[in-house]
Amino acid sequence: MAVWDRISSLWKGNEAQFDSGSAATNSIELTKRHPVVSLTKQGADSGSLRVNLSWRMRTSDIGGRQKDSGSFLTRPLRFFQPDVVQAHTQGVVNVDLDLGCLYELKDGAKGVVQPLGGFFGDMNAPPYVKLSGDDRFGAPSGETIFINLDHREEIARLLVFVYIYDQTPAFDRTHAVVTLYPSNGPRIEIELDERAPQARSCAVLSIENAKEGLVVRREVKFVYGFQAELDRLYGWGLQWGRGYKTKA
């Protein structure tokens, strides 16, 4: 049997192991062309809304495998093996992506939930937004914010953002995804797929309590400063000072 015939038979034998696409029906991707989805219309405006940030380094930045013709002929099966994707290391680039949320309540209260400064929020009291913790190492679970939508009538608007804390700007070297897991209906995904190599912060999505209910809108606006610049961009009106994290 020729080499290519052997590869073809192996490929066909493994077809069942690949995703057939059925999982795609369980997710909604917000894009520039389709940036808005209503939580109320899909019956997901109550309970706990989980917002997760996950990311990995792009393979092109960690010396992706060269698939030359010689290596294909000598080790053909290696051609179909996926690239090993690693989290950031000191040898590549030191990136600490953080997840945060600006909030405004109906009574006029405003503030931020974020790791910097230890503003982790509260799930059962204002602002009804809580950060689960601070992932500094690119763990698969990432960082997660929980929003208590049982108190949606007290929430005016939220702005979920991601920023790089005190390290080299490297949004263009990471593949970051923010995923919303509502209490009902499909998950909602937003990829930070635009190139902004010098940016330090990104407004990812907004949640507004509008007349028609709770609406999620894709933002994906990169800025070259930090939270104060996002504040000015969206008119929050908070006072900002330099903050620091405790050492891990």
Side-chain angles (χ1 to χ4, degrees):
M1 183 182 292
V3 171
W4 182 252
D5 291 335
R6 292 179 61 189
I7 294 172
S8 298
S9 63
L10 287 169
W11 180 273
K12 291 177 181 178
N14 287 326
E15 279 182 340
Q17 298 177 14
F18 289 89
D19 188 356
S20 64
S22 60
T25 59
N26 295 323
S27 66
I28 297 172
E29 183 180 356
L30 296 188
T31 64
K32 285 184 177 180
R33 295 185 61 184
H34 303 284
V36 179
V37 64
S38 171
L39 293 177
T40 299
K41 288 183 179 179
Q42 68 180 41
D45 59 354
S46 62
S48 176
L49 173 64
R50 180 161 58 99
V51 183
N52 177 258
L53 164 68
S54 62
W55 61 276
R56 67 179 187 270
M57 297 305 298
R58 295 184 185 276
T59 55
S60 60
D61 284 312
I62 57 176
R65 184 177 68 253
Q66 293 183 352
K67 299 175 181 176
D68 54 64
S69 58
S71 63
F72 174 78
L73 292 175
T74 57
R75 300 183 66 183
L77 295 182
R78 235 180 121 193
F79 185 81
F80 297 104
Q81 292 176 353
D83 287 331
V84 176
V85 179
Q86 303 174 2
H88 53 79
T89 66
Q90 292 289 345
V92 181
V93 64
N94 193 6
V95 184
D96 181 10
L97 294 185
D98 283 334
L99 184 66
C101 179
L102 285 166
Y103 64 84
E104 180 179 356
L105 303 182
K106 288 289 185 70
D107 64 5
K110 298 178 182 180
V112 65
V113 172
Q114 63 179 20
L116 194 61
F119 298 110
F120 289 98
D122 196 304
M123 190 69 170
N124 299 308
Y128 308 109
V129 178
K130 184 172 179 58
L131 179 66
S132 63
D134 179 14
D135 167 34
R136 305 188 187 186
F137 306 103
S141 59
E143 293 189 3
T144 301
I145 283 178
F146 295 92
I147 303 170
N148 187 348
L149 296 184
D150 288 337
H151 291 270
R152 63 188 178 279
E153 296 303 326
E154 299 177 56
I155 298 173
R157 59 173 178 156
L158 305 171
L159 179 70
V160 174
F161 61 91
V162 174
Y163 64 98
I164 297 175
Y165 170 73
D166 201 28
Q167 300 291 349
T168 304
F171 273 113
D172 62 326
R173 302 189 197 182
T174 63
H175 179 80
V177 180
V178 173
T179 306
L180 282 69
Y181 297 89
S183 59
N184 185 55
R187 66 183 183 272
I188 302 165
E189 297 179 347
I190 301 176
E191 294 191 9
L192 308 189
D193 53 2
E194 298 179 15
R195 295 293 186 268
Q198 298 303 314
R200 288 191 174 274
S201 306
C202 178
V204 180
L205 64 97
S206 60
I207 301 176
E208 294 188 9
N209 199 344
K211 291 182 179 179
E212 61 271 23
L214 287 180
V215 175
V216 177
R217 180 181 298 275
R218 177 189 184 271
E219 302 290 341
V220 190
K221 294 181 180 178
F222 289 92
V223 300
Y224 298 97
F226 291 98
Q227 291 88 326
E229 191 167 344
L230 291 173
D231 184 311
R232 288 191 294 270
L233 185 63
Y234 287 89
W236 234 266
L238 299 178
Q239 297 294 321
W240 296 91
R242 180 63 174 167
Y244 299 92
K245 289 185 182 182
T246 57
K247 293 183 178 180

